[in-house]
């Protein structure tokens, strides 16, 4: 029985104020984080875990990534803890658990709030709202268009290369009656003929927002043995959060999934080319392209050639997003990322019916958030 | 692009006391960014601490206004309806000569934009305020 579950080595506190004036919560988080980390005698780079509270209004989504970017951190574990007055204590236990689980070594747990007399004229006060939106850059389409254009410029990849990804997703969706594009295939020509939304991005290279929901249940390996369904094991995992705004991305052509996948492969003792299923997050075609390259399935810039060399259907040599991916299935908001987990479990259990892949022992699942900013990779294995 | 950018009802910046010097400079047609007096590195966007070493000794310096286009997109369907009259228009990622990258509005040049284009600061009135936009260097020299 292990006793110690982690230790608290640094503290920070801001002097309370009845009212703040023209200060954001992010600014206050930076001040108090600095106090705690320097109190511990640590360098900022020592922080590889980040637990933050929700910031209703100011930073509506992607809170850990926004704070990580603001602080110049690139954690391998990042989370919101949303437990009201129990959040602080809840963070400490979760930090210890994350450390014990090998997700990270040193966790910054930080909470702060401003208190302005007059409500701000825009509830959203994160840096993107201040430094991107006024220049005409609102929404994810522009960010991924910028990533795609950068890939084309650096590697000479073509619109046709990217269209292969959308066409493959639509093709796989034809075997998933639940997919939003079931009965609506689109070949490469149709993808290229769809309107440009933000160059070089075509409409069919962008997920369709839908309503939906996804859930999974996780338990111990021991308990799993007594349950009725074939067990799917988590063999390895990795995570990395590097930025929030596309302008702050360390690279436009390689993302944090590279390090997350490397960690997941190392932890599971597997290689990318051993995977029986690639269940890759596909909000946009560029995301799949970069993930194929970051996984090491091909050299940087060579995803187009790789796609032409492989068959991505359930019968093919490299089944990829057999449920149609989100490009074919639709994106039920945050649940969209979970579709890749659910499909992988279905395949590894042998429950995928007419789209069941042949050998189904190992699956790579990737998740991606914000602007190729937040990355989690899982290697799942059949029992 | 024939639309009067300054007449657009586009959302402006959400300025705080901390970021005010950036926008004050922008209104004067200048680009100012923070520099860390401890590690010597430039910082963009503005913060209360240096994101590299967490020092609080940050000072504002005027940037050269020179940059290079890291990527761009011609927006045909803007994410915010106030930009519809301006579409299509170009936004880009500008690698400032000082080091940091900022997103900005890219004014049309003599030819379509290309990644790698040399850019110059081109203060432009958009939505009722002067913003630090950029333009291709060719256009800049033609106008001189
Ligand atoms: Zn510094």
């Amino acid at each position: 029985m292990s006793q110690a579950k982690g230790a608290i080595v640094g503290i920070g506190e801001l002097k309370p104020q009845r009212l703040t004036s023209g200060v954001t919560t992010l600014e206050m988080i930076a001040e108090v984080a600095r106090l705690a980390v320097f109190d511990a005698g640590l360098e900022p780079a020592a922080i590889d875990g980040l637990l933050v509270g929700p910031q209703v209004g100011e930073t509506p989504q992607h809170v850990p990534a926004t704070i990580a970017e603001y602080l110049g951190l690139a954690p391998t574990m990042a989370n919101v803890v949303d437990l009201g007055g129990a959040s602080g204590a809840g963070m400490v236990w979760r930090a210890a658990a994350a450390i014990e689980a090998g997700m990270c070594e040193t966790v910054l747990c930080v909470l702060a709030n401003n208190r302005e007399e007059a409500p701000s004229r825009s509830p959203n006060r994160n840096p993107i709202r201040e430094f991107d939106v006024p220049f005409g850059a609102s929404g994810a389409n522009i960010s991924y268009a910028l990533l795609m254009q950068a890939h084309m410029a650096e590697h000479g990849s073509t619109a046709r290369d990217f269209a292969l990804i959308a066409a493959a997703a639509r093709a796989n969706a034809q075997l998933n009656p639940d997919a939003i594009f079931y009965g609506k295939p689109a070949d490469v020509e149709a993808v290229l003929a769809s309107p440009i939304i933000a160059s070089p991005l075509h409409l069919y290279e962008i997920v369709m927002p839908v309503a939906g929901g996804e859930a999974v249940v996780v338990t111990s390996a021991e308990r799993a043995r007594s349950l009725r369904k074939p067990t799917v094991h988590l063999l390895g995992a990795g995570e990395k959060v590097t930025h929030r705004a596309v302008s702050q991305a360390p690279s436009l052509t390689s993302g944090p999934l590279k390090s997350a996948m490397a960690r997941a492969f190392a932890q599971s003792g597997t290689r990318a080319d051993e995977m029986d299923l690639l269940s890759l997050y596909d909000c946009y075609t560029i995301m799949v392209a970069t993930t194929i390259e970051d996984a090491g399935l091909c050299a940087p810039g060579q995803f187009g050639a790789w796609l032409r060399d492989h068959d991505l259907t359930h019968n093919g040599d490299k089944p990829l997003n057999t449920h149609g991916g989100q490009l074919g299935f639709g994106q039920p908001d945050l649940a969209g990322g979970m579709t890749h987990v659910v499909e992988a479990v279905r395949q590894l259990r042998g429950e995928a019916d007419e789209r069941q892949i042949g050998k189904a022992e190992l699956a790579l699942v990737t998740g991606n958030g914000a602007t190729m900013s937040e990355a989690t990779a899982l290697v799942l294995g059949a029992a | 692009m024939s639309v009067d950018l300054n007449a657009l009802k586009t959302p402006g910046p959400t300025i705080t006391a901390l970021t005010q010097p950036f926008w004050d400079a922008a209104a004067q047609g200048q680009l100012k960014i923070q520099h860390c007096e401890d590690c010597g590195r430039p910082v963009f966007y503005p913060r209360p601490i240096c994101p590299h070493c967490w020092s609080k000794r940050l000072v504002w310096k005027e940037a050269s206004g020179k940059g290079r286009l890291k990527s761009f997109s011609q927006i045909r369907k803007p994410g915010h309806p106030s930009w519809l009259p301006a579409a299509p228009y170009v936004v880009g990622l500008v690698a400032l000569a000082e080091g940091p990258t900022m997103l900005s509005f890219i004014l049309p040049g003599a030819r379509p934009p290309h990644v790698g284009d040399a850019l110059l600061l081109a203060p432009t009135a958009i939505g009722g305020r002067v913003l630090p936009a950029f333009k291709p260097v060719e256009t800049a020299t033609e106008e001189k």
Side-chain angles (χ1 to χ4, degrees):
Chain A
M1 292 261 274
S2 62
Q3 299 297 315
K5 295 288 183 195
I8 299 171
V9 295
I11 54 168
E13 187 171 79
L14 299 181
K15 183 175 158 54
Q17 304 172 70
R18 192 74 183 86
L19 287 174
T20 55
S21 174
V23 180
T24 64
T25 294
L26 267 179
E27 291 168 15
M28 297 174 70
I29 283 173
E31 300 278 0
V32 74
R34 180 178 183 274
L35 293 174
V37 171
F38 287 176
D39 177 65
L42 290 170
E43 293 295 319
I47 303 299
D48 59 359
L50 181 63
L51 294 178
V52 300
Q55 291 179 51
V56 180
E58 181 172 316
T59 304
Q61 282 189 314
H62 307 288
V63 186
T66 303
I67 293 172
E69 175 190 286
Y70 203 83
L71 300 177
L73 299 174
T76 59
M77 183 284 292
N79 255 120
V80 170
V81 178
D82 188 0
L83 294 172
S87 298
M91 283 175 173
V92 172
W93 191 34
R94 280 165 181 72
I99 293 163
E100 197 171 300
M103 298 174 87
C104 51
E105 277 182 13
T106 308
V107 183
L108 170 65
C109 303
V110 63
L111 293 159
N113 64 288
N114 68 0
R115 192 162 184 276
E116 300 280 302
E117 191 156 32
S120 63
R121 62 196 161 93
S122 164
N124 185 346
R125 298 298 295 270
N126 73 34
I128 288 180
R129 173 62 190 84
E130 180 166 3
F131 294 99
D132 289 3
V133 169
F135 295 96
S138 297
N141 289 344
I142 295 177
S143 295
Y144 284 87
L146 291 166
L147 295 173
M148 188 171 165
Q149 186 75 257
H151 194 284
M152 288 172 147
E154 185 172 327
H155 296 299
S157 49
T158 65
R160 190 164 287 272
D161 294 337
F162 288 99
L164 288 168
I165 294 166
R170 288 288 191 102
N172 282 350
Q174 303 318 307
L175 289 180
N176 183 355
D178 293 337
I180 204 83
F181 288 115
Y182 179 70
K184 292 173 186 162
D187 61 11
V188 167
E189 301 308 325
V191 175
L192 293 174
S194 68
I196 299 258
I197 302 300
S199 74
L201 204 48
H202 298 84
L203 178 64
Y204 288 6
E205 300 182 84
I206 304 172
V207 281
M208 167 85 81
V210 297
E214 309 277 328
V216 298
V217 176
V218 179
T219 187
S220 68
E222 288 149 19
R223 177 103 177 79
R225 278 195 285 274
S226 66
L227 300 180
R228 63 188 200 94
K229 287 287 184 131
T231 304
V232 171
H233 293 288
L234 174 62
L235 303 179
E239 185 166 293
K240 186 86 168 176
V241 175
T242 49
H243 63 282
R244 170 63 185 92
V246 68
S247 66
Q248 306 296 309
S251 164
L252 298 178
T253 52
S254 172
L257 261 176
K258 183 173 175 136
S259 123
M261 288 187 291
R263 195 163 174 179
F265 291 135
Q267 212 176 75
S268 57
T270 63
R271 296 189 319 267
D273 61 8
E274 291 179 308
M275 296 297 129
D276 302 313
L277 174 71
L278 298 167
S279 202
L280 308 183
Y281 192 93
D282 62 339
C283 47
Y284 297 86
T285 52
I286 175 64
M287 197 57 224
V288 177
T290 308
T291 303
I292 289 168
E293 295 175 6
D294 277 348
L297 289 165
C298 65
Q302 295 305 306
F303 82 87
W306 187 88
L307 290 171
R308 288 181 182 86
D309 284 348
H310 296 287
D311 179 342
L312 311 183
T313 66
H314 72 289
N315 284 326
D317 60 327
K318 292 288 174 194
L320 191 155
N321 289 344
T322 43
H323 64 309
Q326 297 177 72
L327 286 168
F329 181 83
Q331 181 172 60
D333 202 24
L334 298 182
M338 192 67 107
T339 68
H340 299 275
V341 180
V342 169
E343 176 70 3
V345 171
R346 226 183 251 130
Q347 290 286 3
L348 294 178
R349 283 177 170 181
E351 291 181 346
D353 297 333
E354 61 170 333
R355 63 174 189 272
Q356 180 62 45
I357 61 176
K359 179 166 166 280
E361 291 168 13
L362 287 172
L364 171 67
V365 177
T366 63
N368 161 73
T371 53
M372 204 165 77
S373 319
E374 302 148 326
T376 306
L378 308 176
V379 172
L380 302 181
Chain B
M1 191 171 51
S2 53
V3 68
D4 178 4
L5 292 171
N6 203 28
L8 298 175
K9 300 280 180 253
T10 52
T14 51
I15 304 169
T16 68
L18 175 86
T19 62
Q20 189 74 53
F22 177 88
W23 296 108
D24 284 349
Q28 304 298 313
Q30 295 179 332
L31 179 65
K32 279 191 181 172
I33 64 170
Q34 293 174 304
H35 288 257
C36 175
E37 290 197 297
D38 278 311
C39 72
R41 298 176 70 172
V43 173
F44 179 84
Y45 47 88
R47 293 166 171 88
I49 64 172
C50 167
H52 309 294
C53 74
W54 288 21
S55 166
K56 297 186 79 167
R57 297 177 60 220
L58 293 167
V59 293
W60 290 94
K61 291 184 187 171
E62 188 173 354
S64 66
K66 291 178 183 164
R68 187 184 56 78
L69 192 61
K70 275 173 75 174
S71 191
F72 67 92
S73 177
Q74 187 195 54
I75 313 301
R76 305 217 187 148
K77 191 172 178 225
H80 193 284
S82 63
W83 279 91
L84 278 169
Y89 62 92
V90 175
V91 299
L93 295 177
V94 182
L96 302 176
E98 288 74 15
T101 297
M102 72 178 280
L103 185 144
S104 189
F105 186 88
I106 309 297
L107 294 168
R111 62 178 179 88
H114 285 85
V115 170
D117 282 353
L119 302 173
L120 264 187
L121 179 67
T124 303
I126 299 174
R129 60 196 70 80
V130 178
L131 299 183
F134 283 79
K135 61 182 171 184
V137 164
E138 298 90 327
T139 321
T141 39
E142 277 165 24
E143 284 178 7
K144 270 185 184 160

